[in-house]
Amino acid sequence: MNYGDNKPKYIRWAIFGALLAISVLLQNSVGGLLEFFGARVLICVPFCVAIAMFEREVPAAIFGALAGALWDVSSGVDGFNTIVLMSLCAVCSLLISHLMQNNLITALVLGAGSVTAYEIIYIAVRFWGAGNPLRQIFTFYLPSLIITVVFVPVCYFIVKAIYNSYKIAE
């Protein structure tokens, strides 16, 4: 079997995997490199969504699971991020391949929607029956959502440049 024709795809996937690992490290660093006024940028989610916009459904879901597993390992959560990011990436890839065009506007829509869905699911799972989480929602989660959406175009253009550099000739 000759894998020479798919070499750019494998290089692109390796770069995407390294990019996701770096994004998880930056996001969960103790020094707060991506933390502004107590709100943390969830940079892993926009990178996962951007990768899902350029890959098919199965590779997108695998990249989401990889990023989620790295996030789970670094934060001590048992599988939550893996399941949520895998599902979000699969849905985003399906939407791009069947309903939407791949451009910056859809990247903003899917990025903002995915971060919002992630945070709603996280709050629902974490604060289920825990009383009143409104203070944390307005002091951490809502500002994190807004700051993360600001980074969506940056993530989109980085992933687009990598994809275009290692595209398979058709």
Side-chain angles (χ1 to χ4, degrees):
M1 187 177 263
N2 185 7
Y3 293 106
D5 297 339
N6 291 328
K7 188 175 181 182
K9 178 172 64 172
Y10 297 137
I11 293 171
R12 181 178 73 229
W13 286 355
I15 293 171
F16 285 162
L19 184 67
L20 289 174
I22 291 168
S23 70
V24 169
L25 286 173
L26 286 174
Q27 173 179 301
N28 294 333
S29 64
V30 177
L33 185 63
L34 293 176
E35 191 170 323
F36 303 100
F37 305 110
R40 181 166 291 190
V41 178
L42 304 174
I43 197 74
C44 187
V45 178
F47 270 123
C48 286
V49 169
I51 291 170
M53 290 176 69
F54 287 97
E55 295 292 340
R56 299 294 296 171
E57 296 84 8
V58 173
I62 290 170
F63 281 119
L66 169 71
L70 291 172
W71 194 352
D72 287 336
V73 166
S74 67
S75 65
V77 179
D78 292 334
F80 172 80
N81 296 314
T82 303
I83 294 169
V84 172
L85 286 179
M86 181 181 68
S87 303
L88 288 174
C89 286
V91 167
C92 288
S93 181
L94 282 168
L95 286 172
I96 288 294
S97 64
H98 296 293
L99 293 175
M100 301 173 129
Q101 293 182 352
N102 192 345
N103 56 35
L104 181 60
I105 301 300
T106 56
L108 286 168
V109 169
L110 290 176
S114 295
V115 174
T116 304
Y118 174 84
E119 288 196 355
I120 288 172
I121 294 167
Y122 185 81
I123 290 168
V125 168
R126 181 167 181 217
F127 295 118
W128 184 261
N132 187 7
L134 286 178
R135 182 177 169 273
Q136 287 184 330
I137 289 172
F138 288 110
T139 59
F140 180 76
Y141 294 106
L142 189 59
S144 292
L145 171 82
I146 293 167
I147 292 172
T148 302
V149 171
V150 169
F151 281 87
V152 168
V154 174
C155 298
Y156 176 78
F157 285 121
I158 289 172
V159 170
K160 183 177 180 179
I162 294 169
Y163 181 81
N164 288 334
S165 296
Y166 296 99
K167 192 177 350 179
I168 297 174
E170 295 179 16

